[in-house]
mmCIF file of all heavy atoms in Angstrom:
data_model
loop_
_atom_site.group_PDB
_atom_site.id
_atom_site.type_symbol
_atom_site.label_atom_id
_atom_site.label_comp_id
_atom_site.label_asym_id
_atom_site.label_seq_id
_atom_site.Cartn_x
_atom_site.Cartn_y
_atom_site.Cartn_z
ATOM 1 N N ILE D 202 20.055 10.077 17.040
ATOM 2 C CA ILE D 202 19.222 10.228 15.842
ATOM 3 C C ILE D 202 19.103 8.936 15.050
ATOM 4 O O ILE D 202 20.099 8.268 14.794
ATOM 5 C CB ILE D 202 19.814 11.308 14.906
ATOM 6 C CG1 ILE D 202 20.032 12.602 15.681
ATOM 7 C CG2 ILE D 202 18.896 11.534 13.713
ATOM 8 C CD1 ILE D 202 20.847 13.608 14.915
ATOM 9 N N ILE D 203 17.893 8.596 14.649
ATOM 10 C CA ILE D 203 17.690 7.500 13.706
ATOM 11 C C ILE D 203 17.470 8.136 12.338
ATOM 12 O O ILE D 203 16.564 8.951 12.169
ATOM 13 C CB ILE D 203 16.494 6.647 14.135
ATOM 14 C CG1 ILE D 203 16.870 5.921 15.432
ATOM 15 C CG2 ILE D 203 16.130 5.638 13.058
ATOM 16 C CD1 ILE D 203 15.711 5.574 16.279
ATOM 17 N N PHE D 204 18.337 7.805 11.381
ATOM 18 C CA PHE D 204 18.276 8.473 10.070
ATOM 19 C C PHE D 204 18.513 7.464 8.959
ATOM 20 O O PHE D 204 18.807 6.299 9.211
ATOM 21 C CB PHE D 204 19.321 9.590 10.011
ATOM 22 C CG PHE D 204 20.728 9.082 10.165
ATOM 23 C CD1 PHE D 204 21.497 8.761 9.047
ATOM 24 C CD2 PHE D 204 21.280 8.901 11.424
ATOM 25 C CE1 PHE D 204 22.785 8.276 9.186
ATOM 26 C CE2 PHE D 204 22.567 8.418 11.565
ATOM 27 C CZ PHE D 204 23.320 8.103 10.449
ATOM 28 N N ALA D 205 18.368 7.925 7.719
ATOM 29 C CA ALA D 205 18.624 7.080 6.547
ATOM 30 C C ALA D 205 19.620 7.794 5.646
ATOM 31 O O ALA D 205 19.774 9.010 5.725
ATOM 32 C CB ALA D 205 17.322 6.834 5.800
ATOM 33 N N HIS D 206 20.316 7.030 4.816
ATOM 34 C CA HIS D 206 21.161 7.622 3.784
ATOM 35 C C HIS D 206 20.388 7.710 2.468
ATOM 36 O O HIS D 206 19.492 6.911 2.238
ATOM 37 C CB HIS D 206 22.432 6.787 3.587
ATOM 38 C CG HIS D 206 23.459 7.047 4.633
ATOM 39 N ND1 HIS D 206 23.729 6.158 5.648
ATOM 40 C CD2 HIS D 206 24.260 8.117 4.844
ATOM 41 C CE1 HIS D 206 24.672 6.655 6.429
ATOM 42 N NE2 HIS D 206 25.011 7.845 5.963
ATOM 43 N N THR D 207 20.786 8.649 1.624
ATOM 44 C CA THR D 207 20.068 8.843 0.358
ATOM 45 C C THR D 207 20.019 7.570 -0.474
ATOM 46 O O THR D 207 19.048 7.331 -1.169
ATOM 47 C CB THR D 207 20.729 9.944 -0.490
ATOM 48 O OG1 THR D 207 22.138 9.722 -0.489
ATOM 49 C CG2 THR D 207 20.413 11.314 0.059
ATOM 50 N N ASP D 208 21.069 6.746 -0.416
ATOM 51 C CA ASP D 208 21.075 5.559 -1.271
ATOM 52 C C ASP D 208 20.594 4.293 -0.566
ATOM 53 O O ASP D 208 20.718 3.203 -1.100
ATOM 54 C CB ASP D 208 22.448 5.354 -1.939
ATOM 55 C CG ASP D 208 23.575 5.510 -0.949
ATOM 56 O OD1 ASP D 208 23.269 5.665 0.253
ATOM 57 O OD2 ASP D 208 24.739 5.479 -1.363
ATOM 58 N N ASP D 209 20.022 4.438 0.634
ATOM 59 C CA ASP D 209 19.416 3.278 1.299
ATOM 60 C C ASP D 209 18.206 2.814 0.499
ATOM 61 O O ASP D 209 17.493 3.613 -0.098
ATOM 62 C CB ASP D 209 18.927 3.658 2.709
ATOM 63 C CG ASP D 209 20.071 3.756 3.694
ATOM 64 O OD1 ASP D 209 21.207 3.406 3.306
ATOM 65 O OD2 ASP D 209 19.839 4.201 4.828
ATOM 66 N N ASP D 210 17.959 1.507 0.540
ATOM 67 C CA ASP D 210 16.786 0.962 -0.130
ATOM 68 C C ASP D 210 15.517 1.423 0.601
ATOM 69 O O ASP D 210 15.470 1.418 1.827
ATOM 70 C CB ASP D 210 16.870 -0.565 -0.123
ATOM 71 C CG ASP D 210 15.773 -1.187 -0.942
ATOM 72 O OD1 ASP D 210 15.969 -1.316 -2.146
ATOM 73 O OD2 ASP D 210 14.714 -1.516 -0.379
ATOM 74 N N GLN D 211 14.490 1.780 -0.168
ATOM 75 C CA GLN D 211 13.280 2.326 0.471
ATOM 76 C C GLN D 211 12.598 1.328 1.412
ATOM 77 O O GLN D 211 11.997 1.724 2.402
ATOM 78 C CB GLN D 211 12.290 2.833 -0.572
ATOM 79 C CG GLN D 211 11.797 1.775 -1.545
ATOM 80 C CD GLN D 211 10.739 2.316 -2.500
ATOM 81 O OE1 GLN D 211 10.597 3.520 -2.639
ATOM 82 N NE2 GLN D 211 10.016 1.432 -3.143
ATOM 83 N N GLU D 212 12.731 0.027 1.124
ATOM 84 C CA GLU D 212 12.121 -0.966 2.011
ATOM 85 C C GLU D 212 12.788 -0.964 3.386
ATOM 86 O O GLU D 212 12.139 -1.063 4.408
ATOM 87 C CB GLU D 212 12.237 -2.370 1.417
ATOM 88 C CG GLU D 212 11.322 -2.585 0.241
ATOM 89 C CD GLU D 212 11.417 -3.988 -0.303
ATOM 90 O OE1 GLU D 212 11.981 -4.864 0.377
ATOM 91 O OE2 GLU D 212 10.948 -4.212 -1.424
ATOM 92 N N GLU D 213 14.131 -0.856 3.361
ATOM 93 C CA GLU D 213 14.854 -0.796 4.637
ATOM 94 C C GLU D 213 14.413 0.412 5.449
ATOM 95 O O GLU D 213 14.237 0.332 6.663
ATOM 96 C CB GLU D 213 16.359 -0.652 4.382
ATOM 97 C CG GLU D 213 17.079 -1.947 4.131
ATOM 98 C CD GLU D 213 18.482 -1.662 3.637
ATOM 99 O OE1 GLU D 213 19.179 -0.838 4.256
ATOM 100 O OE2 GLU D 213 18.865 -2.240 2.598
ATOM 101 N N VAL D 214 14.260 1.539 4.761
ATOM 102 C CA VAL D 214 13.856 2.761 5.447
ATOM 103 C C VAL D 214 12.461 2.589 6.036
ATOM 104 O O VAL D 214 12.209 2.951 7.184
ATOM 105 C CB VAL D 214 13.887 3.965 4.487
ATOM 106 C CG1 VAL D 214 13.443 5.229 5.204
ATOM 107 C CG2 VAL D 214 15.277 4.146 3.907
ATOM 108 N N ALA D 215 11.567 1.982 5.250
ATOM 109 C CA ALA D 215 10.201 1.758 5.739
ATOM 110 C C ALA D 215 10.221 0.882 6.997
ATOM 111 O O ALA D 215 9.517 1.146 7.959
ATOM 112 C CB ALA D 215 9.352 1.113 4.647
ATOM 113 N N HIS D 216 11.053 -0.163 6.980
ATOM 114 C CA HIS D 216 11.132 -1.049 8.146
ATOM 115 C C HIS D 216 11.691 -0.321 9.361
ATOM 116 O O HIS D 216 11.259 -0.541 10.481
ATOM 117 C CB HIS D 216 11.998 -2.266 7.828
ATOM 118 C CG HIS D 216 11.261 -3.280 7.016
ATOM 119 N ND1 HIS D 216 10.195 -3.987 7.522
ATOM 120 C CD2 HIS D 216 11.393 -3.683 5.738
ATOM 121 C CE1 HIS D 216 9.717 -4.781 6.584
ATOM 122 N NE2 HIS D 216 10.429 -4.610 5.487
#
Side-chain angles (χ1 to χ4, degrees):
Chain D
I202 307 169
I203 292 154
F204 61 93
H206 281 106
T207 46
D208 46 6
D209 283 353
D210 187 86
Q211 60 176 17
E212 288 182 14
E213 276 169 48
V214 179
H216 282 293

